[in-house]
Every structure is written in C-alpha cells, then in structure tokens.
Amino acid sequence: MGQAASQPAPSTPASCPVDHNALKAKASAGQCPIQHDAPAAASSSSSSAPAQCPISHETAAALNPLNQMPTLSQAPAADQSIALPTDRSTSSIPRDTASRWEYPSPQQFYNALVRKGWETPEEHVETMVQIHNFLNEEAWQEILKWERKENPGEDPQLARFKGRPGELSPKARFWLLAGWLLPSRFNNEPPFDRHDWIVRRRSTGEEVRYVIDYYSAPPEPDGSPVFSLDVRPALDSIGSVKQRIAFATEEAWASFRENKPTGIARDS
C-alpha cells in the first residue's frame, strides 16, 4: 500500500458457501464487510449509496463507549423468515487481563442491518459474520507485528475501537489522488471501511491509536472474495512517527537489497 504502512494482507476465508460474485457485487455497492463490535456488515439497497456500515457510530448516551455501538438485541426482527443463531464467538483479541472481545451473533448482526434499513439476505448472514470475524482477526495480527517490532515481549490489548465509515484517512486520500493521476499504476477505488483501534500496552499502560483501511481486492479465480487491510499506527504521537519512519526505512532498504545487482563486472 506504499511507504510507512504495514504490508496489506490479502484475506480469503476458506470453505465459504455463499455466491462470492454476488457478495463482491454487494461490497462494491457499499457493503461493509467488517463489523464494529468486531466485524459487522451489510448489503446496500442502492448501488449509489456511499460505503458505510449498518451501525450508527454517532456519539450518544445509548452507545457503548468501548466500541461506539448500541446494544444489539438477540430477539428475531420483525418479518424475519428464518431463525438465526444467537451464540457469540470469542475472538483471540484481549480486552483486558481477564477477558477477550466477543463477536456479535448472527442474530445481532442481522438486527444491526435491519436497524440501518439495509436489504439483508438472511441465508447469507452466518457466512458474512464468519468473513467479518476473520478480517478482524487478520487486523489484530497486523497490529501485533507492529507492536512486537517495538517491544518483542509486549502483550497488548484492544482497549476500545470505533468504526469511521465514510471518513477517508489522509493516506487513503493520498492513494486515491495517486490513482486519479496514474490509474495504470495505482488503485483508484476508495477503502470500503475504516476503523480506529486503541491498543493498550500492558507493560506501560500507554495507549496507541491504529488506523485500519479495508479494501476490496480482485477475487480469486474461483470467485472467492479477497480483501486487503492497510494497518498502521496513527501519526499522532512521537512514538508512532518513529515507528512509521523505522518501518519505511526498513522497507526501502529491503527493496534496495532485493534489486541490487550481484557479482563483479569484469572486462573481457
């Protein structure tokens, strides 16, 4: 994704029973394949609708301050035609020293979509939740790569997070401009979603904000969807700026060594 950013991680879930061409079409129409309690997604009812998530992220007393989400009901929605599971999966992401974050159940996920007024294929909800959980796990692994470069013994926690759909990060704006100027070299599609994750370093109690941009990538030959995650520390502290500079320098040096000619030229 360019200098000073983590290497994008193409993510393809295995054994997905959904028609992925249709799923990709929905994503292109504004679907968010990430949940905001740990993933949340939906398919937009209009192809002209801007990319956004099905859950309101506006500040309000009714929202949980840890994830800026309302409490989602486990009760079936009105006019729901099939029963959806209410079991919630536990993520691998530490919330504190004693617990880990839980993903919403398919029923909660569906209720979030209905609450936003999006057309929702009920038979696809369980698979959509699996994809979104998978992407959040991948995002956390990218964060751990950054954190362990800073401190190999660090065992960070995800303190809180917020979905910011429709808000382009400065880096996303830069790459959109690059794609507009040089469409043959750069992608000119904006990210379909953005998250800000606040990571707590247990050893010091310091909190670091990470920005995650989510992109749709070309599908696999069999039609399976592929997503690309751009994960990096936000440039809002001296420590994070140093991390980004160190990563960019390391990346540039690795590229130089890879392209450097080997051997000694001799005159014949």
Side-chain angles (χ1 to χ4, degrees), residues 201-214:
R201 293 173 176 166
R202 292 179 60 183
S203 58
T204 63
E206 178 187 7
E207 293 189 345
V208 181
R209 181 169 66 95
Y210 278 82
V211 178
I212 308 171
D213 286 325
Y214 298 88

Side-chain angles (χ1 to χ4, degrees), residues 39-226:
S43 57
S44 174
S45 59
S46 170
S47 59
S48 61
Q52 59 179 330
C53 290
I55 298 172
S56 172
H57 299 289
E58 298 156 0
T59 302
L63 300 184
N64 184 334
L66 295 179
N67 56 18
Q68 295 300 306
M69 289 178 58
T71 300
L72 299 176
S73 172
Q74 292 275 32
D79 301 323
Q80 183 175 325
S81 61
I82 62 175
L84 292 172
T86 57
D87 294 336
R88 301 181 64 179
S89 300
T90 302
S91 76
S92 68
I93 306 172
R95 183 171 183 167
D96 50 40
T97 56
S99 64
R100 299 180 183 274
W101 286 92
E102 284 189 326
Y103 295 125
S105 70
Q107 183 64 65
Q108 289 176 311
F109 185 84
Y110 178 76
N111 287 341
L113 304 182
V114 171
R115 179 179 178 273
K116 194 67 175 180
W118 288 32
E119 292 182 6
T120 307
E122 297 172 34
E123 66 275 14
H124 292 171
V125 169
E126 290 186 62
T127 299
M128 292 164 70
V129 169
Q130 292 171 7
I131 293 173
H132 306 151
N133 295 357
F134 176 80
L135 289 178
N136 273 318
E137 295 292 331
E138 290 295 302
W140 183 246
Q141 291 304 311
E142 290 297 304
I143 287 174
L144 290 180
K145 290 177 184 178
W146 281 97
E147 287 296 303
R148 286 167 181 165
K149 284 184 179 181
E150 184 72 9
N151 181 356
E154 186 61 66
D155 187 15
Q157 303 162 344
L158 177 58
R160 58 192 180 279
F161 55 90
K162 182 178 181 180
R164 302 177 67 179
E167 295 184 49
L168 291 178
S169 65
K171 184 178 180 184
R173 292 181 186 276
F174 171 81
W175 289 116
L176 274 179
L177 177 61
W180 179 71
L181 294 173
L182 298 169
S184 62
R185 290 194 58 189
F186 300 103
N187 179 23
N188 57 10
E189 292 294 327
F192 58 74
D193 197 17
R194 170 188 171 181
H195 281 194
D196 283 9
W197 289 16
I198 309 302
V199 173
R200 181 190 303 114
R201 293 173 176 166
R202 292 179 60 183
S203 58
T204 63
E206 178 187 7
E207 293 189 345
V208 181
R209 181 169 66 95
Y210 278 82
V211 178
I212 308 171
D213 286 325
Y214 298 88
Y215 292 86
S216 293
E220 296 288 344
D222 64 358
S224 298
V226 178

